[in-house]
Amino acid sequence: MANRWLVLAIGLAMCGAAGAQRDMALEAGLAKTPPMGWNSWNHFAGRVTEQDVKDAADALVASGMRDAGYVYVNIDDTWEGERDPQGVLHTNKKFSNMKALGKYIHARGLKFGIYSSPGPQTCARYAASYGYEQKDADLYASWGVDYLKYDLCSYRMLMLAAQADHPDDPDIGNKMMKAAYLKMREALDKTGRPIVFSLCQYGEDDVWKWGADVGGNLWRTTGDIQDNYDRMAKIGFGQAGLAKYAGPGHWNDPDMLEVGNGRMTADEYRTHMSLWALLAAPLLAGNDLSKMTPETKSILMNKAVIAIDQDRLGVQGDRVSQDGDLEIWSKPLSGGGKAVGLFNRGTATASLSLTLSDLGVVARRDARQRPVAPASTDGVVTGASYVGGSEVGFRVLSTPWSKTASVSASGRAPARLHVTNVWTGSPVVDVNGVVTEPVPAHGVVLLRVEP
Ligand code: GLA
């Protein structure tokens, strides 16, 4: 008991240093963009073995995922064995040699992630770090670990016990939790090895407001995801309003990806991936990488979608409009553009319209103004395009649809925004500044709108 209070007092005293820790993490280049990689839990859960982890590392390389940015290979819960008399934690029989496994991962140009809890036990009831924080941090560093997911689990029991002992201090659990996370951040820093610190406490006590101050590079904002549309959508669309808490070095984490695990349709997985990209969420694949269909690969490895997630501006997107099942989300991008998701949460195809001027993206007149073939049906013009667009003016294309091209008073065409359908790579044409797209059930049309 006395020990626990000492831990708490030290932890709170260290709070002032937290901003400096965050800066150190950024200087070390930790999580400048949302971490990308693979985690064992969503597919393998408690069955994960050393061979599964090696297979995942090999598949990251062979599939091209590593080169697309997926570099962390994270072992989740159930690797832990017993502590020896010196307090050093050993692996269980599923993992023979973590140092060798770390080398195997690093030899492939990948990074190594591990899992523990600030409580005495992990969520799957394996040995965890309570009372052994520095010993465990040193052990991880000796194995070459680059990433730690630290999952609250049984530490909650200690918080509840303290709350029961001190009904006069309603914040005691929260203070203990912050101190516990800060303690491990300190322990990791003392190893001298840059280690990404992933807080996992399911979004309790508005973790987004203090996760960075206890040295978190990312923090889970929700309970566990599942491989079904309802759960994924509840979590993903539930992120509205959290954008201001994320940024380079410190990210909101709506949990790992389920793409490729088999219980959602391709449209639903594209919704999952698009929403996570708009949210600047960590992209941790959670499927069996050694058995991926071409469709799964195409969803996980769409470079233009990944570029939205990893955009160097590092601003999380947010919901900009909602009308029943139809939602529009947008994310500012470097270069002045925006990524926009037109989402249909309903069970039948629906048409969504986006008024481009609502986005606040300012069109530039430059050499990139190029003719775009309009979508024209039955003689109804649905678009107009220009060439040139510089100071020397422009030429309205002499095509059947050119007669409706708007010409400004000065005789120059208005500069146009460049709109691309991110999943297909095709240009999208607006009608008088409005883009209208059919969006499949539970699906998305993801757009990139550039000046
Ligand atoms: C919790 C976490 C999951 C996973 C399991 C492991 O439920 O939220 O992501 O790490 O524990 O036991």
Side-chain angles (χ1 to χ4, degrees), residues 41 76-77 115 123-124 149 151 200 202 220 224 256:
W41 187 255
D76 208 278
D77 205 351
Y115 167 98
C123 291
K149 173 174 169 182
D151 194 350
C200 178
Y202 338 112
R220 278 271 297 277
D224 290 9
M256 304 166 294

PDB file of all heavy atoms in Angstrom, residues 41 76-77 115 123-124 149 151 200 202 220 224 256, ligand 1:
ATOM      1  N   TRP A  41      -3.437  -9.486 -32.702  1.00  0.00           N
ATOM      2  CA  TRP A  41      -4.635  -9.808 -31.920  1.00  0.00           C
ATOM      3  C   TRP A  41      -5.889 -10.094 -32.747  1.00  0.00           C
ATOM      4  O   TRP A  41      -6.584 -11.091 -32.517  1.00  0.00           O
ATOM      5  CB  TRP A  41      -4.935  -8.690 -30.913  1.00  0.00           C
ATOM      6  CG  TRP A  41      -6.046  -9.088 -29.989  1.00  0.00           C
ATOM      7  CD1 TRP A  41      -7.339  -8.661 -30.010  1.00  0.00           C
ATOM      8  CD2 TRP A  41      -5.957 -10.053 -28.926  1.00  0.00           C
ATOM      9  NE1 TRP A  41      -8.067  -9.282 -29.026  1.00  0.00           N
ATOM     10  CE2 TRP A  41      -7.243 -10.145 -28.347  1.00  0.00           C
ATOM     11  CE3 TRP A  41      -4.936 -10.845 -28.407  1.00  0.00           C
ATOM     12  CZ2 TRP A  41      -7.525 -10.989 -27.279  1.00  0.00           C
ATOM     13  CZ3 TRP A  41      -5.219 -11.698 -27.334  1.00  0.00           C
ATOM     14  CH2 TRP A  41      -6.493 -11.761 -26.799  1.00  0.00           C
ATOM     15  N   ASP A  76       0.790  -8.999 -29.762  1.00  0.00           N
ATOM     16  CA  ASP A  76      -0.163  -8.577 -28.723  1.00  0.00           C
ATOM     17  C   ASP A  76      -0.093  -9.580 -27.568  1.00  0.00           C
ATOM     18  O   ASP A  76       0.901 -10.303 -27.394  1.00  0.00           O
ATOM     19  CB  ASP A  76      -1.573  -8.459 -29.340  1.00  0.00           C
ATOM     20  CG  ASP A  76      -2.461  -7.447 -28.626  1.00  0.00           C
ATOM     21  OD1 ASP A  76      -3.041  -7.810 -27.579  1.00  0.00           O
ATOM     22  OD2 ASP A  76      -2.575  -6.298 -29.101  1.00  0.00           O
ATOM     23  N   ASP A  77      -1.127  -9.645 -26.786  1.00  0.00           N
ATOM     24  CA  ASP A  77      -1.170 -10.453 -25.572  1.00  0.00           C
ATOM     25  C   ASP A  77      -0.930 -11.945 -25.849  1.00  0.00           C
ATOM     26  O   ASP A  77      -1.180 -12.413 -26.949  1.00  0.00           O
ATOM     27  CB  ASP A  77      -2.563 -10.267 -24.943  1.00  0.00           C
ATOM     28  CG  ASP A  77      -2.580 -10.522 -23.453  1.00  0.00           C
ATOM     29  OD1 ASP A  77      -1.561 -10.998 -22.921  1.00  0.00           O
ATOM     30  OD2 ASP A  77      -3.621 -10.240 -22.835  1.00  0.00           O
ATOM     31  N   TYR A 115       3.689  -6.093 -26.092  1.00  0.00           N
ATOM     32  CA  TYR A 115       2.453  -5.756 -25.364  1.00  0.00           C
ATOM     33  C   TYR A 115       2.621  -6.047 -23.879  1.00  0.00           C
ATOM     34  O   TYR A 115       3.214  -7.063 -23.498  1.00  0.00           O
ATOM     35  CB  TYR A 115       1.331  -6.618 -25.950  1.00  0.00           C
ATOM     36  CG  TYR A 115       0.045  -6.660 -25.161  1.00  0.00           C
ATOM     37  CD1 TYR A 115      -1.033  -5.852 -25.510  1.00  0.00           C
ATOM     38  CD2 TYR A 115      -0.108  -7.523 -24.075  1.00  0.00           C
ATOM     39  CE1 TYR A 115      -2.223  -5.897 -24.794  1.00  0.00           C
ATOM     40  CE2 TYR A 115      -1.288  -7.573 -23.354  1.00  0.00           C
ATOM     41  CZ  TYR A 115      -2.352  -6.759 -23.717  1.00  0.00           C
ATOM     42  OH  TYR A 115      -3.525  -6.810 -23.008  1.00  0.00           O
ATOM     43  N   CYS A 123      -4.854  -8.498 -20.039  1.00  0.00           N
ATOM     44  CA  CYS A 123      -6.280  -8.803 -20.195  1.00  0.00           C
ATOM     45  C   CYS A 123      -6.512 -10.311 -20.341  1.00  0.00           C
ATOM     46  O   CYS A 123      -7.552 -10.815 -19.960  1.00  0.00           O
ATOM     47  CB  CYS A 123      -6.858  -8.058 -21.384  1.00  0.00           C
ATOM     48  SG  CYS A 123      -6.947  -6.278 -21.123  1.00  0.00           S
ATOM     49  N   ALA A 124      -5.547 -11.025 -20.933  1.00  0.00           N
ATOM     50  CA  ALA A 124      -5.694 -12.486 -21.057  1.00  0.00           C
ATOM     51  C   ALA A 124      -5.080 -13.200 -19.843  1.00  0.00           C
ATOM     52  O   ALA A 124      -4.824 -14.408 -19.886  1.00  0.00           O
ATOM     53  CB  ALA A 124      -5.053 -12.962 -22.358  1.00  0.00           C
ATOM     54  N   LYS A 149       2.562  -1.557 -26.633  1.00  0.00           N
ATOM     55  CA  LYS A 149       1.129  -1.327 -26.357  1.00  0.00           C
ATOM     56  C   LYS A 149       0.914  -1.665 -24.888  1.00  0.00           C
ATOM     57  O   LYS A 149       1.217  -2.785 -24.452  1.00  0.00           O
ATOM     58  CB  LYS A 149       0.277  -2.220 -27.257  1.00  0.00           C
ATOM     59  CG  LYS A 149      -1.222  -2.193 -26.948  1.00  0.00           C
ATOM     60  CD  LYS A 149      -1.982  -3.010 -27.994  1.00  0.00           C
ATOM     61  CE  LYS A 149      -3.428  -3.256 -27.629  1.00  0.00           C
ATOM     62  NZ  LYS A 149      -4.113  -4.093 -28.629  1.00  0.00           N
ATOM     63  N   ASP A 151      -1.728  -1.934 -21.962  1.00  0.00           N
ATOM     64  CA  ASP A 151      -3.173  -2.154 -21.901  1.00  0.00           C
ATOM     65  C   ASP A 151      -3.641  -2.180 -20.437  1.00  0.00           C
ATOM     66  O   ASP A 151      -3.210  -3.032 -19.659  1.00  0.00           O
ATOM     67  CB  ASP A 151      -3.439  -3.509 -22.597  1.00  0.00           C
ATOM     68  CG  ASP A 151      -4.888  -3.738 -22.920  1.00  0.00           C
ATOM     69  OD1 ASP A 151      -5.735  -2.955 -22.453  1.00  0.00           O
ATOM     70  OD2 ASP A 151      -5.173  -4.719 -23.633  1.00  0.00           O
ATOM     71  N   CYS A 200      -3.522   1.935 -24.112  1.00  0.00           N
ATOM     72  CA  CYS A 200      -4.761   1.207 -24.402  1.00  0.00           C
ATOM     73  C   CYS A 200      -5.562   1.173 -23.115  1.00  0.00           C
ATOM     74  O   CYS A 200      -5.217   0.433 -22.192  1.00  0.00           O
ATOM     75  CB  CYS A 200      -4.418  -0.207 -24.906  1.00  0.00           C
ATOM     76  SG  CYS A 200      -5.863  -1.215 -25.241  1.00  0.00           S
ATOM     77  N   TYR A 202      -9.111   2.101 -23.593  1.00  0.00           N
ATOM     78  CA  TYR A 202     -10.472   2.092 -24.142  1.00  0.00           C
ATOM     79  C   TYR A 202     -11.141   3.469 -24.121  1.00  0.00           C
ATOM     80  O   TYR A 202     -12.368   3.571 -24.151  1.00  0.00           O
ATOM     81  CB  TYR A 202     -11.330   1.032 -23.411  1.00  0.00           C
ATOM     82  CG  TYR A 202     -10.470  -0.028 -22.748  1.00  0.00           C
ATOM     83  CD1 TYR A 202     -10.384  -0.139 -21.359  1.00  0.00           C
ATOM     84  CD2 TYR A 202      -9.656  -0.862 -23.535  1.00  0.00           C
ATOM     85  CE1 TYR A 202      -9.537  -1.064 -20.767  1.00  0.00           C
ATOM     86  CE2 TYR A 202      -8.800  -1.788 -22.946  1.00  0.00           C
ATOM     87  CZ  TYR A 202      -8.737  -1.873 -21.564  1.00  0.00           C
ATOM     88  OH  TYR A 202      -7.890  -2.772 -20.969  1.00  0.00           O
ATOM     89  N   ARG A 220      -5.814   4.513 -27.511  1.00  0.00           N
ATOM     90  CA  ARG A 220      -7.093   3.969 -27.951  1.00  0.00           C
ATOM     91  C   ARG A 220      -8.208   4.872 -27.449  1.00  0.00           C
ATOM     92  O   ARG A 220      -8.200   5.294 -26.293  1.00  0.00           O
ATOM     93  CB  ARG A 220      -7.244   2.552 -27.399  1.00  0.00           C
ATOM     94  CG  ARG A 220      -6.530   1.481 -28.223  1.00  0.00           C
ATOM     95  CD  ARG A 220      -7.428   0.929 -29.306  1.00  0.00           C
ATOM     96  NE  ARG A 220      -8.556   0.273 -28.674  1.00  0.00           N
ATOM     97  CZ  ARG A 220      -8.515  -0.977 -28.213  1.00  0.00           C
ATOM     98  NH1 ARG A 220      -7.441  -1.723 -28.380  1.00  0.00           N
ATOM     99  NH2 ARG A 220      -9.565  -1.501 -27.620  1.00  0.00           N
ATOM    100  N   ASP A 224     -12.932  -2.513 -27.829  1.00  0.00           N
ATOM    101  CA  ASP A 224     -12.366  -3.315 -28.921  1.00  0.00           C
ATOM    102  C   ASP A 224     -13.237  -3.318 -30.179  1.00  0.00           C
ATOM    103  O   ASP A 224     -14.464  -3.432 -30.116  1.00  0.00           O
ATOM    104  CB  ASP A 224     -12.188  -4.767 -28.466  1.00  0.00           C
ATOM    105  CG  ASP A 224     -11.078  -4.893 -27.435  1.00  0.00           C
ATOM    106  OD1 ASP A 224     -10.580  -3.856 -26.953  1.00  0.00           O
ATOM    107  OD2 ASP A 224     -10.709  -6.040 -27.115  1.00  0.00           O
ATOM    108  N   MET A 256      -7.427  -1.383 -34.155  1.00  0.00           N
ATOM    109  CA  MET A 256      -6.713  -1.941 -35.311  1.00  0.00           C
ATOM    110  C   MET A 256      -7.680  -2.318 -36.432  1.00  0.00           C
ATOM    111  O   MET A 256      -8.882  -2.413 -36.240  1.00  0.00           O
ATOM    112  CB  MET A 256      -5.922  -3.152 -34.840  1.00  0.00           C
ATOM    113  CG  MET A 256      -4.982  -2.763 -33.699  1.00  0.00           C
ATOM    114  SD  MET A 256      -4.283  -4.143 -32.794  1.00  0.00           S
ATOM    115  CE  MET A 256      -5.660  -4.899 -31.997  1.00  0.00           C
TER     116      MET A 256
HETATM  117  C1  GLA B   1      -7.795  -5.786 -24.748  1.00  0.00           C
HETATM  118  C2  GLA B   1      -7.336  -4.857 -25.869  1.00  0.00           C
HETATM  119  C3  GLA B   1      -7.214  -5.656 -27.142  1.00  0.00           C
HETATM  120  C4  GLA B   1      -6.223  -6.791 -26.943  1.00  0.00           C
HETATM  121  C5  GLA B   1      -6.643  -7.652 -25.781  1.00  0.00           C
HETATM  122  C6  GLA B   1      -5.569  -8.673 -25.417  1.00  0.00           C
HETATM  123  O1  GLA B   1      -9.077  -6.266 -24.952  1.00  0.00           O
HETATM  124  O2  GLA B   1      -8.240  -3.803 -26.029  1.00  0.00           O
HETATM  125  O3  GLA B   1      -6.791  -4.813 -28.209  1.00  0.00           O
HETATM  126  O4  GLA B   1      -4.949  -6.242 -26.724  1.00  0.00           O
HETATM  127  O5  GLA B   1      -6.886  -6.872 -24.620  1.00  0.00           O
HETATM  128  O6  GLA B   1      -5.894  -9.438 -24.294  1.00  0.00           O
END
